[in-house]
Amino acid sequence: MAYVRWSHYFLPTWKEEPAEADLPSHRLMLRAGLIRPLAAGIYTYLPCGWRALRRVEAVVREEMDAIGGAELHMPVVHPAELWARTGRLDDFGPSLVRFEDRAGREMLLGPTHEEVVTDLARREIQSWRQLPLMLYQIQTKFRDEPRSRGGLIRAREFTMKDGYSFHEDAPDLDRYYPEVYRAYERIFRRCGLSPVPVEADPGLMGGSGSHEFMLAHDQGEDTFVRCAGCGYAANREGAVAVKEPDPDEPLLPQEEVATPNCYTIEAVAAFLGIPTRKTAKAVFYRAGKELVFVVIRGDLEVNEAKLARVLGTTELSPATEEDIVAVGAVPGYASPIGISGDEVVVVVDDSIPSARNLVAGANKEGFHLRNVNFPRDFPAQLVTDVALARDGDPCPRCGGMLRVQHGIELGHIFKLGTKYSQSLGATFLDRDGQARPLVMGCYGIGIGRLLAAVIESHHDEEGIVWPTEVAPFQVLVTVLNPKDGDQIALATSVATHLAQAGLEVLLDDRERSPGEKFHDAKLVGIPVLAVIGPRSLRTGEVDLERRRDGVRNPTPASPDSIERAVQDLLRTG
RNA sequence: CGGAGAGUAGCGCAGGUUGGUCAGCGCGCAUGGUUCGGGACCAUGAGGUCGGCGGUUCAAAUCCGCCCUCUCCGACCA
């Protein structure tokens, strides 16, 4: 293996901060010459960025192979008809890029590959003897996200490792799923990351069990809750929090009270001098044709994901004023008491039944009702938990305190069950000769996002600090004056020797001032820097510097001692 | 899709309100020279349809209209 000469490589660095980047990983990937934007959420990987990406891929491949995965490669372009059969053509909505081929066939750019892999399994898997099976790929996906941001953290075109396992029955999936879980933990640890595994909402993917691996990060695109006490962690969409009931008190008779200009819960509570949790808040949504009237304790917020799930819908949007008026409610003073219409569904959050003598709207401009109680005063079609867990709420497992955190979703694993195999007719014959649908799991990791997350977690003021395992090169050999024949001779012999020892070596032989080369070295973040300058020729020593902590060791300039010292630094750095 | 902001040389920006020596600055780039252990210096030089289209005007980077693109916040998101 040969070393790479920077003067003949393509590693363009930027001295100045790009104006258009906010996240450290995004800024550094641009500055350190790893990526360049082509359009919103669409990036070119430059050679050094591509090398780093391949290092991450190598880790993922090793761990996937270790749990019996077989790598394959599926198409980017899918026939829309296949997606129509699972119903996801509509479910995915506008983030699915669709087009017609020249024959007028509807096609799309694959945002994920459940349909394609299940179709493959349908054709090829006939017998229980072929199971279990784990197939995976590392491949480009495209999702026309309404909002791409943060560089590779949330791109529209992105590289993903997606794996799919096939099983005879649910118990076999249950047995295998933890193996994938542990493989994921190993992958992230090798990349220098410690994401929190959280219980997740399977969402559009369907299925019964699901975990997301969330890297805690203030600017993360996702939100989850975690209990410091017992380790309970869940995606915010699925998180459950304990709602402490009010002390029991006798139910008082309803009475009307004037509350002029009180259009919000806060205003009503302040006006009447009561805490917000002694009010009932009315929130309206439209779900297709139906109007949904949610009643929830005034201090809580509606969790729209939970609501959509209990309603069994994917189309949930806030209702308009006209919608609200149409069912006999008064915006700002809406009440569950006295509304009407066949197409209204009243959903009562489970915070309401245990609450006593609440203040609710009177469906009359300027008035509220005191002492409203459920179910005494109004009916509901559904009573269930639709509240958003809050920071500081009690943990459902141990009663400790939940913390809300932002995070970057690095991976997501699902027990899909038979959702896709059933809709696509992917069956096999079991030991008794019975046709049964394949039981599936699916497992994703955003590779580009993972790379960005590595940088997000491993950088300092001056640049990237690559963990050795995913560094694009392990050693940077910098020749301070490449025009000096003795320096370049020493440097090339060191670089050659290190490369022959199996290390990936970048030789900075550019004719630049030393300061500039040192700064670029920090920026690009290769774990070990070997400096060869006039001093080396004088003293017979090469300076080895570890990027992580700046520790410098003068090392005798013989190739063997340098290799030993470099290996030492890599092991500890 | 809603809110906010931005598009002037490869990058970072000034100029714009008051239309007219207004095509500018720093970095970078090219050439020559001096430097060479933590973003050196001198000299010379190249590089821009001022995002696009249309309008107002004797005259538009500057004023008006429409459109495009990008960024951030929100909605959304395997």
Side-chain angles (χ1 to χ4, degrees), chain A residues 76-227:
Chain A
V76 188
V77 173
H78 308 178
E81 184 275 333
L82 182 59
W83 281 68
R85 279 195 269 154
T86 57
R88 291 210 300 177
L89 196 55
D90 297 325
D91 289 350
F92 247 89
S95 60
L96 201 56
V97 172
R98 300 168 63 171
F99 59 97
E100 286 185 3
D101 68 9
R102 68 164 69 198
R105 284 178 290 253
E106 278 280 330
M107 309 300 277
L108 56 89
L109 294 182
T112 176
H113 282 73
E114 283 77 17
E115 276 77 3
V116 174
V117 81
T118 308
D119 183 65
L120 181 70
R122 177 180 68 81
R123 296 165 196 276
E124 303 299 333
I125 299 177
Q126 288 96 31
S127 161
W128 65 274
R129 293 174 191 278
Q130 293 168 276
L131 300 174
L133 180 66
M134 167 65 133
L135 300 175
Y136 77 95
Q137 66 173 348
I138 292 175
Q139 213 245 26
T140 300
K141 314 255 191 247
F142 196 94
R143 290 180 198 172
D144 195 1
E145 295 280 354
R147 185 181 166 195
S148 59
R149 59 177 158 181
L152 292 190
I153 297 286
R154 184 170 159 136
R156 292 194 294 169
E157 181 178 307
F158 57 99
T159 305
M160 176 163 141
K161 187 287 294 176
D162 48 322
Y164 307 88
S165 68
F166 301 89
H167 308 268
E168 314 180 39
D169 52 23
D172 193 59
L173 171 60
D174 292 344
R175 172 197 62 76
Y176 186 66
Y177 185 87
E179 284 192 42
V180 184
Y181 186 107
R182 287 191 294 272
Y184 270 45
E185 291 184 314
R186 286 191 297 271
I187 288 168
F188 298 129
R189 189 173 340 112
R190 287 177 64 180
C191 292
L193 301 174
S194 312
V196 181
V198 309
E199 294 174 13
D201 176 8
L204 270 187
M205 304 298 292
S208 56
S210 170
H211 289 87
E212 289 174 341
F213 291 81
M214 301 280 269
L215 183 68
H217 190 284
D218 286 343
Q219 290 163 86
E221 83 294 347
D222 222 321
T223 309
F224 65 104
V225 302
R226 176 155 56 154
C227 172

Side-chain angles (χ1 to χ4, degrees), chain A residues 276-408:
Chain A
T276 53
R277 66 176 293 160
K278 295 298 285 184
T279 68
K281 177 159 59 182
V283 189
F284 296 89
Y285 292 94
R286 175 155 286 290
K289 278 188 181 161
E290 287 180 335
L291 190 76
V292 182
F293 187 150
V294 181
V295 184
I296 189 166
R297 214 171 63 198
D299 59 320
L300 298 172
E301 298 293 327
V302 175
N303 180 332
E304 295 183 14
K306 279 188 193 173
L307 180 61
R309 201 176 330 134
V310 300
L311 292 170
T313 182
T314 54
E315 314 165 40
L316 192 68
S317 57
T320 62
E321 285 218 357
E322 294 77 66
D323 291 334
I324 298 170
V325 172
V327 295
V330 179
Y333 292 91
S335 171
I337 302 170
I339 56 153
S340 59
D342 296 339
E343 289 173 348
V344 188
V345 178
V346 177
V347 178
V348 166
D349 181 67
D350 59 11
S351 56
I352 294 290
S354 64
R356 293 285 179 275
N357 301 320
L358 299 175
V359 169
N363 272 340
K364 191 164 138 191
E365 177 74 26
F367 290 90
H368 277 79
L369 296 173
R370 281 188 194 276
N371 305 327
V372 169
N373 290 286
F374 177 83
R376 185 190 70 180
D377 300 329
F378 62 96
Q381 275 86 340
L382 211 53
V383 181
T384 184
D385 169 34
V386 292
L388 196 60
R390 297 171 303 178
D391 196 70
D393 275 346
C395 169
R397 298 266 170 85
C398 73
M401 192 183 278
L402 293 181
R403 292 267 85 125
V404 171
Q405 290 189 288
H406 289 279
I408 299 168

Side-chain angles (χ1 to χ4, degrees), chain A residues 464-506:
Chain A
I464 300 170
V465 184
W466 287 113
T468 299
E469 180 100 51
V470 295
F473 297 90
Q474 286 87 55
V475 191
L476 173 62
V477 179
T478 286
V479 203
L480 291 180
N481 185 358
K483 284 190 290 193
D484 179 328
D486 293 335
Q487 284 183 40
I488 198 79
L490 176 56
T492 52
S493 95
V494 167
T496 302
H497 188 87
L498 291 173
Q500 278 168 356
L503 294 167
E504 293 173 288
V505 182
L506 178 62

